[in-house]
Amino acid sequence: MPSTPQPVTPDPPDAIARPLLTQSWLDLTFVHWAVDPADVAGLLPPGAVPDTLDGVTYVGLVAFRMHRVGWLRLPGVPYLGSFPETNVRLYSVDDHGRRGVVFLSLDASRLIPVLVGRLGFGMPYVWSRMRVRHDDDRTVTYTASRRLPGPRGAGTRLTVRRGEAVDGPTELEHFLTARWGMHGVFFGRPMYLPNAHPRWPLYRAELLECREDLVAAAGLPAPAGEPVSVLYSPGVPARFGRPARPAGIPTP
């Protein structure tokens, strides 16, 4: 753990003028449970340790619609680049104080993006049957059932009702959502991939239904009890920069 992690800020610390990837994240629901840092430390990539708030870290189940993924400055792809996704993520910090997330799994409904993510970048994408349905103007249901590589049939069914807008996020809400990069192993090496997007428009939400086994499938204890935070956002456009090596040097 670095002696002084970077502060949690609502805006990205650096602009990304020349993006490697562009995409939008729409209709997001963030569901979080508190976990013991000792339970997640072994699941993080080399060079990263659990990021904690008051001695506690968190596991997040985040369901949303990916929209128009694009490379460099090319226009986003309308069909193959748009699909439902649900990820299980942890919170991390490295020796340089860079805070980020670590994805334990990313379920997506388009096979080609799953193959590109798994084979091209070594990310834990899973091909799943998925759907995002608006039951009314405040209620959203997300469903997922895994196809390959499994465990087959594992999935989620989440239903949330959007509440009031968050005018001033709490310290925990900032900690869980203001994340400006991801730690992972890219091309066989530990790296940090920065991202940037506008401030989250956040709403508190009521969790009406939660049936999931993706957290346990990712290697963590199944969540016990109610989540500590449930948030909804209509979404933001996002940009990813070039990955940086553990020493902080950008790749060519």
Side-chain angles (χ1 to χ4, degrees), residues 158-169:
L158 301 176
T159 300
V160 297
R161 179 183 293 128
R162 174 172 53 85
E164 298 301 315
V166 177
D167 294 326

Side-chain angles (χ1 to χ4, degrees), residues 15 24 29 40 59 63 92 106 114 124 139 144 148 176 187 196-197 200 204 208 211 225 239:
S24 291
T29 287
V40 307
V59 56
S92 51
L106 304 101
V114 167
T139 307
L148 295 171
L176 297 175
F187 311 108
H197 57 73
W200 285 110
R204 297 195 174 94
L208 302 179
R211 287 185 285 156
R239 298 157 73 90

Side-chain angles (χ1 to χ4, degrees), residues 108-158:
S109 63
R110 293 272 188 266
L111 178 58
I112 291 178
V114 167
L115 294 175
V116 170
R118 288 187 70 88
L119 302 178
F121 295 93
M123 296 183 67
Y125 267 99
V126 180
W127 186 34
S128 298
R129 295 181 180 87
M130 307 185 75
R131 185 182 181 190
V132 179
R133 185 186 76 239
H134 285 264
D135 300 306
D136 54 47
D137 62 350
R138 298 175 72 88
T139 307
V140 188
T141 296
Y142 310 82
T143 56
S145 179
R146 285 189 172 173
R147 289 168 159 167
L148 295 171
R152 194 171 181 87
T156 58
R157 182 177 176 86
L158 301 176

